[in-house]
């Protein structure tokens, strides 16, 4: 049973790594960004509410995001573990997740922080814009997302570091190599925790 988070700036390849890591650990990857995008394209009530925030590169308000994650974490497939990608992104979301997990008697095993220099991130985003055509991958919206990441999500990283859960991973390089690095780092981390338990 493995419960993981992955945190990383926009353009860091977080979504790609989340999918590979989830497959390796045999757990579902739950991406709040993906869930929002899918709702936007299906024009659901949630999608219609969230669309303007996604388009502007702003965070979707906490009441919507927290409710979405709460519902998702009650589904059967995540009972045996999950990898959350894109949540929590703010300190209040950390507290919400704490409550959700505590009410189920669960705890996180590790928090992966994918690190990459800002200069590389914009280049990768521009490539992804050509490949995938995500509507929030424009230079202006991307800079807003990156700025929010530095301002808000830094605190999330510090909170988990303070709890001794942070596993930093160098996110520069080939995606396949980064996946291997991340798997090795997480397994080492979890094994070491097991030895001290
Ligand atoms: P990226 O990390 O590249 O910005 P994501 O797919 O993780 O991409 O998120 C895309 C968008 O979805 C965000 O810009 C935001 O509008 C919304 N979103 C995703 N997760 C959250 C969250 N935890 N809280 C608020 N908004 C979120």
């Amino acid at each position: 049973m493995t419960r993981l988070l992955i945190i990383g700036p926009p353009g860091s390849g977080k979504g790609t790594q989340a999918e590979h890591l989830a497959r390796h650990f045999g757990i579902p990857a739950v991406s709040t960004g993906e869930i929002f995008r899918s709702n936007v394209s299906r024009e659901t009530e949630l999608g219609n509410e969230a669309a303007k925030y996604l388009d502007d590169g702003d965070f979707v308000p906490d009441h919507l995001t927290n409710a979405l994650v709460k519902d998702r974490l009650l589904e059967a497939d995540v009972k045996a573990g999950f990898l959350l990608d894109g949540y929590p992104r703010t300190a209040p979301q950390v507290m919400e997740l704490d409550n959700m997990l505590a009410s189920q008697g669960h705890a996180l095993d590790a928090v992966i922080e994918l690190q990459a220099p800002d200069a590389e991130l914009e280049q990768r985003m521009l490539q992804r814009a050509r490949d995938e055509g995500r509507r929030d991958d424009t230079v202006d919206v991307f800079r807003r997302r990156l700025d929010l990441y530095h301002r808000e999500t830094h605190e999330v990283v510090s909170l988990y570091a303070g709890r001794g859960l942070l596993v930093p991973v160098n996110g520069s390089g080939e995606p396949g190599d980064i996946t291997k690095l991340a798997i090795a780092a997480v397994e080492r981390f979890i094994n070491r925790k097991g030895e001290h338990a």
Side-chain angles (χ1 to χ4, degrees):
M1 247 183 279
T2 317
R3 294 186 180 84
L4 304 172
L5 303 186
I6 186 163
I7 301 178
S12 61
K14 171 171 64 78
T16 309
Q17 293 303 329
E19 278 175 33
H20 291 294
L21 292 170
R23 197 169 315 129
H24 174 86
F25 288 101
I27 50 180
V30 173
S31 156
T32 44
E34 278 298 325
I35 298 173
F36 284 131
R37 279 190 290 282
S38 142
N39 277 275
V40 170
S41 63
R42 287 183 284 121
E43 297 183 15
T44 64
E45 199 178 317
L46 173 68
N48 293 339
E49 275 199 73
K52 60 176 182 300
Y53 301 102
L54 268 83
D55 286 349
D56 291 344
D58 284 330
F59 288 156
V60 176
D62 275 356
H63 71 277
L64 290 175
T65 311
N66 291 331
L68 171 120
V69 174
K70 197 170 187 178
D71 284 351
R72 183 65 186 86
L73 291 188
L74 289 172
E75 286 178 35
D77 65 326
V78 293
K79 289 265 182 295
F82 55 77
L83 193 168
L84 260 182
D85 155 13
Y87 183 92
R89 256 174 158 92
T90 61
Q93 290 183 4
V94 172
M95 307 310 155
E96 277 295 320
L97 180 62
D98 285 346
N99 293 335
M100 290 178 217
L101 292 173
S103 72
Q104 301 183 339
H106 293 156
L108 294 172
D109 295 299
V111 176
I112 303 158
E113 185 202 2
L114 206 55
Q115 300 173 329
D118 280 7
E120 227 177 283
L121 300 171
E122 191 165 307
Q123 288 312 310
R124 295 206 212 164
M125 177 283 295
L126 290 170
Q127 183 61 45
R128 181 170 69 191
R130 287 187 286 269
D131 295 342
E132 296 175 21
R134 241 175 78 168
R135 49 199 249 177
D136 58 349
D137 278 344
T138 61
V139 171
D140 285 350
V141 175
F142 177 82
R143 289 190 180 150
R144 167 105 188 110
R145 282 154 58 211
L146 188 57
D147 179 52
L148 262 181
Y149 181 83
H150 288 311
R151 277 194 289 133
E152 300 280 344
T153 311
H154 176 73
E155 198 182 350
V156 174
V157 171
S158 312
L159 279 168
Y160 287 122
R163 296 180 188 181
L165 282 175
L166 203 67
V167 180
V169 173
N170 182 350
S172 294
E174 287 301 315
D177 295 338
I178 298 166
T179 306
K180 285 189 201 128
L181 264 180
I183 290 172
V186 170
E187 288 184 340
R188 215 181 307 123
F189 181 82
I190 290 179
N191 289 338
R192 209 180 298 142
K193 271 210 309 193
E195 284 164 18
H196 292 281

